[in-house]
Structure formats: C-alpha cells, structure tokens
Amino acid sequence: MNLRLVDIYVWRGKAYLPVLARLESGVFLIIEPVYTAELNVEALLSAVKKVLAAGHPYRPDPTREEMRRRKDPLLAATKARNWKELARTGASYGITWTDKEIRVDMSRLDKRGRWEWDPTKTRIFSLDTPLPDIIAVILEDIQSRSELVK
C-alpha cells in the first residue's frame, strides 16, 4: 500500500507541519524540518506540498537511550513545554492518502487531556479531490474552535 501522511498541529494561531520519518518497525516519527504556516489556504497548501515533497525518510528504530535524549522537533518549533500544553489549547489534524481514498482526521481531547481522533469528524475524500478543498475542511474546523482563533 502506498501510504502518505501529513500531520498539522495548530497552536497559538499558527500551523506546524512536521516531516514524518518511517521507522523500520513501520511507526512514523516526527523529524525536522517542521514547517510553519499561517491559517489560510495558500499558506497551508504551500506547507503541505513541502511535507509531501519530503516524503517519509526511512530511519532505523531509535534505541531507548536515543529517544530519551531526543529533542522533540514539534515542541522545539512551537516552544511548548510539553505535549499536554499543546493539546490543552491546540488541535491536531491528519491527512492520510491511501491507494483508495484521502482521509482527514481531527482531534478532540480524551479524558486525560490528550489528543485522540474524533470519529464524528472524520472525513473521507476521493483521490481526485483537490488539495485546497481538503485544506478548506480543516480550516473550517479550526474556525469553529474558539481556542484556536484567539
């Protein structure tokens, strides 16, 4: 299966789009660069295209020690103290391209204050859907969340 992923993290009025490496175990891991975009179609479209162009570089699985010492690229880019701070006042979006469809997932908070995908907001698109249309759906959700558009 040909799988492509783009994650969009919205925090403090900006979008952050990291490149995702594919580890040998099959897991995806945020790596640099992390692109920053204003919350409009043109800026997000440009950033999504950059992430897609970077692809998913293959990396060996990091050791526990390497993960412990690792500086999280998204936290560095946002200057957030931790993921819980990001989740409390931000949102996460995922765009997934498979051989059959394009799927957009949108976050909500779980009972512990962490992001999880909200199944009521999942949107499925055909593969021929223009990228600006997909970004418009994400922007519509962002605009509906008062904590994101202060």
Side-chain angles (χ1 to χ4, degrees):
M1 177 193 300
N2 183 21
L3 183 69
R4 295 184 301 155
L5 305 172
V6 173
D7 285 349
I8 301 171
Y9 299 93
V10 178
W11 196 59
R12 293 191 175 170
K14 289 196 176 194
Y16 298 86
L17 294 84
V19 171
L20 300 170
R22 185 188 301 255
L23 303 181
E24 63 186 316
S25 61
V27 174
F28 289 90
L29 180 68
I30 292 173
I31 61 171
E32 292 180 330
V34 176
Y35 297 101
T36 305
E38 297 299 321
L39 299 177
N40 62 63
V41 173
E42 297 79 18
L44 279 172
L45 181 61
S46 174
V48 167
K49 286 179 176 180
K50 288 176 185 174
V51 172
L52 289 171
H56 300 299
Y58 177 81
R59 300 275 166 90
D61 288 334
T63 64
R64 282 191 180 159
E65 180 62 21
E66 288 169 333
M67 284 303 290
R68 190 182 67 71
R69 288 192 324 243
R70 181 178 187 269
K71 300 273 190 236
D72 187 297
L74 186 64
L75 293 180
T78 61
K79 297 179 180 49
R81 289 184 302 245
N82 53 49
W83 279 86
K84 191 162 189 167
E85 182 183 13
L86 277 177
R88 193 171 53 248
T89 58
S92 173
Y93 299 87
I95 308 172
T96 305
W97 286 262
T98 69
D99 294 333
K100 297 179 182 174
E101 65 190 20
I102 303 169
R103 175 185 172 119
V104 174
D105 290 295
M106 303 179 206
S107 67
R108 66 179 180 193
L109 292 179
D110 68 12
K111 292 176 183 165
R112 296 173 63 191
R114 299 173 304 187
W115 280 321
E116 66 179 1
W117 295 135
D118 183 345
T120 66
K121 290 187 171 187
T122 298
R123 297 284 305 272
I124 305 295
F125 299 91
S126 64
L127 289 173
D128 61 352
T129 304
L131 194 49
D133 293 357
I134 294 166
I135 290 170
V137 168
I138 293 170
L139 283 169
E140 183 179 309
D141 186 75
I142 291 168
Q143 293 301 321
S144 75
R145 300 182 189 217
S146 60
E147 72 275 14
L148 300 180
V149 291
K150 289 180 182 176

